[in-house]
Amino acid sequence: MGAGLDAHAHSASREMGALVAWGRGVGGWRLALGARLPPWDAGFCTEPGLQSWRGGDREALLLELRAAVVEHRGPLVTLNKPQGLPVTGKPGELTLLSVLPDLSQSLGCPSLQVIRAPGKETSGLVLLSTCPQTASRLQKFFIRSRRAHRPTATYWAVTNGIPDASEGQILAALTLQHIGGVSVVIPVKCPSRRDLLEGVKRTLSHFRVMATGSGCALIQLQPLTLFPSQLQVHMMLQLCPVLGDHTYSARAGTVLGQRFLLSAENTKPQRQALDDALLRRLHLTPAQAAQLPLHLHLHQLLLPGSRPADAPIELRAPLPRYFSRTLQCLGLCQQ
């Protein structure tokens, strides 16, 4: 088991090294993984280039998104969404969609539309298109891939805890419920046919441990179905909540060093609690840990080639700076 994890860590370090070389000069991300990182203080969310959005005015967001553009090729534009930025929202709220007209004009291209984007608390690749026909073709490709259980999206996550297996699949029936005025995802054991007709969905993800250290893990996640917060809930069910998950991590309880699953119906969302040893490794105070961003990043998307015989196109997004810093603090990357 240890040798296998060492191999995973070595593979992860090679991939992250390639990512650094590929990502230099993209937006504001210029920090190599081997470089000395600045101290993590309470202002990390607003420090330029950290890629964690905590609010601002429209012009500031537009500048941030222009700097986050990874590639502009033909009708496709890809950008690296900062963590904390919602894609949609209520009228008048500052969201990715609300500034798309300004971003289109700033980039000198026709109106952009979202094809694929991670949720608010997740960072990573956003796929945009100026061509409705291209957008429709890619959306149909993603739907066909999900039906065939072919992964097209690869996420990286840092988890508080290490899965028992180094690789595997997570299958769980999930549903959305309103508890205490908050909409949360609830696992459903042995769903009936009626449950499945009333909104319960069978969900499936593949995971692979890439590196371990300090009781944490760097995990590669590939969702094979689509459901809100699917990856966060799946890792919580493995008793390895994603670092910075302030919604579902409280369901993984600990007694005498042993973790167990608490009832979702009786566990309210709360700030993630980290033990003293982990806080020291991360150089965080409890107050700073309470503001820790979700360490879940949409790292790669696979798109179909222009012709059926063409190889798939790989799109990648550099890691947010806080994510890279965490990997170093926890020894999850090797130089």
Side-chain angles (χ1 to χ4, degrees):
M1 178 75 173
L5 290 178
D6 286 343
H8 284 314
H10 183 60
S11 172
S13 69
R14 289 201 312 270
E15 187 169 356
M16 283 186 283
L19 181 61
V20 171
W22 178 87
R24 285 178 193 150
V26 176
W29 196 68
R30 306 254 195 278
L31 189 63
L33 283 175
R36 176 175 294 182
L37 288 157
W40 193 331
D41 57 27
F44 70 89
C45 290
T46 55
E47 184 179 338
L50 286 182
Q51 295 179 323
S52 185
W53 179 258
R54 283 296 180 268
D57 59 27
R58 192 179 187 87
E59 291 185 5
L61 177 56
L62 184 59
L63 287 173
E64 184 86 8
L65 293 179
R66 273 188 59 95
V69 171
V70 175
E71 189 172 7
H72 186 179
R73 181 193 302 178
L76 293 180
V77 174
T78 54
L79 59 84
N80 195 5
K81 186 185 81 69
Q83 186 274 342
L85 175 66
V87 177
T88 62
K90 299 176 182 177
E93 290 183 347
L94 199 57
T95 64
L96 175 63
L97 279 180
S98 73
V99 299
L100 271 191
D102 293 337
L103 183 62
S104 302
Q105 185 177 6
S106 179
L107 296 176
C109 62
S111 296
L112 289 164
Q113 66 179 99
V114 176
I115 301 175
R116 185 150 184 173
K120 174 183 176 179
E121 298 304 327
T122 305
S123 61
L125 277 170
V126 172
L127 185 60
L128 307 168
S129 177
T130 62
C131 174
Q133 289 77 20
T134 298
S136 177
R137 180 174 73 93
L138 290 176
Q139 285 164 349
K140 290 177 181 177
F141 165 76
F142 289 134
I143 291 172
R144 288 196 303 269
S145 298
R146 280 198 299 273
R147 288 174 178 170
H149 284 177
R150 290 194 303 267
T152 57
T154 298
Y155 292 76
W156 282 9
V158 178
T159 60
N160 182 11
I162 302 172
D164 292 333
S166 61
E167 187 170 1
Q169 290 189 333
I170 305 167
L171 176 64
L174 303 178
T175 188
L176 275 171
Q177 285 189 13
H178 292 280
I179 299 177
V182 180
S183 182
V184 293
V185 177
I186 302 293
V188 179
K189 292 183 179 179
C190 304
S192 65
R193 181 176 299 180
R194 180 177 179 179
D195 289 333
L196 296 173
L197 290 173
E198 294 180 351
V200 176
K201 182 174 179 178
R202 299 186 190 275
T203 61
L204 179 65
S205 300
H206 181 269
F207 74 91
R208 180 168 68 88
V209 178
M210 300 171 68
T212 63
S214 305
C216 297
L218 173 63
I219 308 284
Q220 175 184 284
L221 291 164
Q222 293 179 314
L224 301 174
T225 53
L226 195 63
F227 198 84
S229 303
Q230 174 177 318
L231 297 178
Q232 291 167 250
V233 175
H234 279 187
M235 292 317 300
M236 178 272 300
L237 292 173
Q238 296 293 300
L239 300 178
C240 299
V242 178
L243 200 63
D245 182 352
H246 303 296
T247 301
Y248 300 102
S249 62
R251 297 183 192 171
T254 304
V255 173
L256 299 176
Q258 297 297 315
R259 297 194 177 193
F260 62 95
L261 202 61
L262 294 168
S263 166
E265 289 80 3
N266 298 322
T267 309
K268 295 181 179 180
Q270 57 185 281
R271 293 292 179 182
Q272 187 176 43
L274 305 180
D275 61 40
D276 291 341
L278 185 52
L279 288 173
R280 287 194 297 270
R281 288 301 300 264
L282 293 173
H283 306 288
L284 293 175
T285 66
Q288 290 168 342
Q291 301 300 319
L292 196 67
L294 184 70
H295 283 56
L296 181 63
H297 179 74
L298 178 48
H299 166 56
Q300 178 179 286
L301 280 176
L302 286 182
L303 305 183
S306 301
R307 294 168 296 185
D310 291 346
I313 299 169
E314 291 186 1
L315 301 174
R316 291 187 178 184
L319 293 172
R321 193 170 163 191
Y322 62 81
F323 199 121
S324 298
R325 182 190 186 283
T326 295
L327 297 182
Q328 283 194 323
C329 289
L330 299 178
L332 295 178
C333 52
Q334 297 178 354
Q335 302 303 320

